[in-house]
Amino acid sequence: MNTKNQLYNYILEIADDSLILGQRLSEWCGHGPILEEDIALTNIALDFIGQANNLYEYAATLSENKITPDQLAFLRVDNDFKNALLVEQPNRDFAYTLARQFYFDAFRKLFFEKLIDSKDEQLSAIAEKSLKETKYHLKHSSEWIIRLGDGTEESHNRIQTAIDFLWKYTNELFEDNQAYTEILDLELGISVSALKSTWLEYVHSILTEATLTIPNSPFSQTGGRKGIHTEHLGYLLAEMQYMQRAFPNSTW
Amino acid sequence: MVTTKNIWESLEKVSDPEIPVLSIVDLGIVRNVEIDKELCTVTITPTYSGCPAMHTIEQEILTTLSPIIKTEVKSTLSPAWTTDWMSENGKKKLREYGIAPPENEVDKSVLFAKPTVVPCPKCNSQDTKMISQFGSTACKAHYQCNQCLEPFDYFKCLR
């Protein structure tokens, strides 16, 4: 793979994380436990979809084939998606949704803070823009982890279950992909493995404050970056891509 | 002969579709106006990545300027927009419209920080409460005044 090709795939990976998590969060529209949370989750969903759009637009300019951002989002099949397994996990309940969000936001903040230094101007600009939003997201999810963990017995148990269950999907976020060696060498992208210790430190501090037990299972489930997904992604795509599949090239 | 000054004046008439009282110049999203021979290039930047108003704003700029000069609209992300780009005049207009303009806020990394004191745009009381950090659009939070009980939008500080 040449550098341009590597960069294209690298950007798709970041974009897919944003799009799939944005789609998941948008499923809460009209179902939030309280109106304010309904609005919050969909606002955050919008930020993610906006980030994905910026990234797909940029990726499209690097593609050798004539491809549009919409085609990248709506016409690829599940094995073409490179998102981490964590973001495709179903919403289940409010606790699972917030646990997933907390793990991811904590990663994303560190990720964008570093990506700002990318030697690629556009990637750096997208990181700078997205970071401002991500700080709001992390504040929101961290506060909820503490509120639920340090809340009632019921809320404590449910957030603990979610935190434990999703733990196995977190390590994938910190796996450096061998396919992007050139991107890292040229300082266009960043090493995610270097972010892990800071991430752990933050996650520990919040879970401790939330009176939750820190998961320590070494088992980790990976594959998303290579296009090997859990069964949940297919269903998500079926819903998200339905319109373009049923009515090809339709526009609003 | 159309000058960039004429273009800036015309852009004052283009409003943000979600906050019609504010022009895009007040909002600070017009980054640059350039005229090269017969072509005018207007560069804008989004407030939030997912701002759904960007397409409409682009169309409005083209509609407003096309009778005067051939125009293209470009979008840039850097330097990222912050609420500091909003003009003082813009903040005044927001308040008069019933939306509290952005205040200086504490660092976002502080959890459970006391919400920023946002004076009520109706009765000016400092005794208000935050209902939700996320409001009717990505750029606003939801507040309520404890004195006159008016619920209102707060254009939250983004930095």
Side-chain angles (χ1 to χ4, degrees), chain A residues 36 39-40 43-44 46-47 50-51 54 122 125-126 128-129 132-133 135-136 139-140 142-143 146-147 206, chain B residues 46-50 77-78 80-82 105 108 110-112 131-135 137-138 156-157 159:
Chain A
E36 288 75 16
I39 295 169
N43 258 261
I44 296 169
L46 184 63
D47 285 341
Q51 291 166 10
N54 287 336
Q122 185 62 7
I126 292 172
E128 185 195 354
K129 183 82 216 158
K132 291 183 191 304
E133 296 152 4
K135 284 180 183 169
Y136 266 113
K139 180 178 161 71
H140 172 259
S142 301
E143 287 181 352
I146 297 170
R147 226 177 260 132
I206 298 295
Chain B
T47 52
Y48 281 74
S49 297
L77 291 174
S78 182
W81 181 87
T82 69
E105 275 182 23
K108 306 257 177 323
V110 183
L111 300 183
F112 299 109
I131 304 286
S132 172
Q133 180 79 65
F134 296 86
T137 65
K156 63 193 176 196
C157 178
R159 278 198 184 131

Side-chain angles (χ1 to χ4, degrees), chain B:
Chain B
M1 182 66 190
V2 185
T3 64
T4 53
K5 188 165 170 282
N6 301 140
I7 301 292
W8 280 101
E9 281 164 7
S10 299
L11 290 174
E12 291 275 2
K13 289 181 223 125
V14 179
S15 60
D16 178 336
E18 283 181 352
I19 315 166
V21 69
L22 224 49
S23 85
I24 56 172
V25 177
D26 292 328
L27 192 54
I29 64 168
V30 181
R31 278 294 156 80
N32 197 24
V33 173
E34 245 174 40
I35 297 177
D36 183 24
K37 295 189 189 103
E38 301 295 297
L39 178 70
C40 169
T41 307
V42 179
T43 308
I44 55 174
T45 192
T47 52
Y48 281 74
S49 297
C51 178
M54 285 305 277
H55 290 294
T56 312
I57 290 172
E58 195 181 317
Q59 281 309 313
E60 287 289 310
I61 293 174
L62 292 175
T63 312
T64 307
L65 296 183
S66 60
I68 318 172
I69 188 169
K70 189 161 175 263
T71 306
E72 62 169 13
V73 178
K74 281 189 182 164
S75 178
T76 183
L77 291 174
S78 182
W81 181 87
T82 69
T83 34
D84 296 333
W85 289 79
M86 196 188 290
S87 70
E88 283 309 312
N89 190 34
K91 290 180 186 167
K92 190 167 151 268
K93 283 196 216 165
L94 266 186
R95 198 177 295 114
E96 286 164 4
Y97 187 63
I99 299 175
E103 303 279 337
N104 283 323
E105 275 182 23
V106 291
D107 189 355
K108 306 257 177 323
S109 60
V110 183
L111 300 183
F112 299 109
K114 253 179 99 97
T116 317
V117 177
V118 177
C120 170
K122 290 281 180 219
C123 73
N124 222 11
S125 162
Q126 303 271 330
D127 182 16
T128 62
K129 66 176 173 206
M130 186 175 78
I131 304 286
S132 172
Q133 180 79 65
F134 296 86
S136 57
T137 65
C139 54
K140 295 185 219 119
H142 192 195
Y143 270 69
Q144 188 178 18
C145 178
N146 291 328
Q147 291 301 313
C148 72
L149 302 182
E150 181 78 5
F152 64 91
D153 272 331
Y154 163 53
F155 201 115
K156 63 193 176 196
C157 178
L158 186 75
R159 278 198 184 131

Side-chain angles (χ1 to χ4, degrees), chain A:
Chain A
M1 262 199 308
N2 60 28
T3 311
K4 203 170 156 188
N5 233 322
Q6 278 194 23
L7 187 62
Y8 171 77
N9 283 308
Y10 184 75
I11 295 167
L12 278 192
E13 204 176 281
I14 311 170
D16 289 349
D17 275 355
S18 291
L19 179 70
I20 300 303
L21 188 53
Q23 172 71 14
R24 272 288 179 239
L25 286 172
S26 73
E27 291 169 14
W28 275 102
C29 188
H31 300 277
I34 46 170
L35 182 61
E36 288 75 16
E37 269 315 297
D38 199 292
I39 295 169
L41 293 171
T42 45
N43 258 261
I44 296 169
L46 184 63
D47 285 341
F48 275 105
I49 289 166
Q51 291 166 10
N53 189 45
N54 287 336
L55 289 158
Y56 286 136
E57 270 180 6
Y58 183 37
T61 65
L62 299 171
S63 165
E64 273 152 16
N65 315 314
K66 259 199 151 171
I67 199 156
T68 67
D70 276 355
Q71 285 170 336
L72 287 171
F74 298 123
L75 294 178
R76 282 183 301 149
V77 296
D78 52 359
N79 294 122
D80 295 336
F81 274 82
K82 298 171 194 306
N83 59 278
L85 300 178
L86 175 70
V87 297
E88 73 198 35
Q89 295 310 304
N91 289 336
R92 292 192 174 90
D93 62 13
F94 190 62
Y96 275 92
T97 299
L98 264 298
R100 183 185 65 203
Q101 199 61 33
F102 168 64
Y103 282 151
F104 190 74
D105 289 341
F107 158 73
R108 252 306 164 83
K109 176 169 167 282
L110 299 173
F111 180 78
F112 282 139
E113 276 172 352
K114 274 269 181 271
L115 194 64
I116 288 183
D117 298 331
S118 166
K119 294 238 159 73
D120 183 280
E121 251 177 57
Q122 185 62 7
L123 213 45
S124 163
I126 292 172
E128 185 195 354
K129 183 82 216 158
S130 308
L131 177 62
K132 291 183 191 304
E133 296 152 4
T134 307
K135 284 180 183 169
Y136 266 113
H137 303 166
L138 180 60
K139 180 178 161 71
H140 172 259
S141 53
S142 301
E143 287 181 352
W144 269 110
I145 296 299
I146 297 170
R147 226 177 260 132
L148 294 172
D150 197 16
T152 64
E153 196 187 333
E154 173 79 6
S155 73
H156 177 94
N157 291 341
R158 288 175 77 162
I159 192 69
Q160 183 71 63
T161 308
I163 284 284
D164 290 345
F165 180 83
L166 292 171
W167 182 252
K168 59 180 160 292
Y169 299 111
T170 56
N171 193 50
E172 184 180 33
L173 299 171
F174 304 99
E175 283 177 351
D176 282 326
N177 193 330
Q178 295 309 318
Y180 304 135
T181 42
E182 237 176 89
I183 299 300
L184 264 58
D185 287 347
L186 293 169
E187 294 177 50
L188 303 175
I190 62 160
S191 157
V192 280
S193 61
L195 305 175
K196 176 119 196 218
S197 59
T198 321
W199 180 85
L200 269 177
E201 220 171 281
Y202 181 79
V203 167
H204 280 198
S205 73
I206 298 295
L207 292 183
T208 306
E209 198 176 336
T211 70
L212 293 165
T213 311
I214 297 153
N216 62 0
S217 161
F219 174 66
S220 135
Q221 185 82 53
T222 68
R225 302 293 187 213
K226 295 192 187 81
I228 304 162
H229 291 278
T230 59
E231 68 271 33
H232 308 295
L233 183 66
Y235 293 100
L236 179 148
L237 293 181
E239 187 175 8
M240 185 179 80
Q241 299 183 335
Y242 154 77
M243 197 65 100
Q244 274 304 314
R245 301 281 187 194
F247 304 95
N249 303 319
S250 60
T251 53
W252 286 102

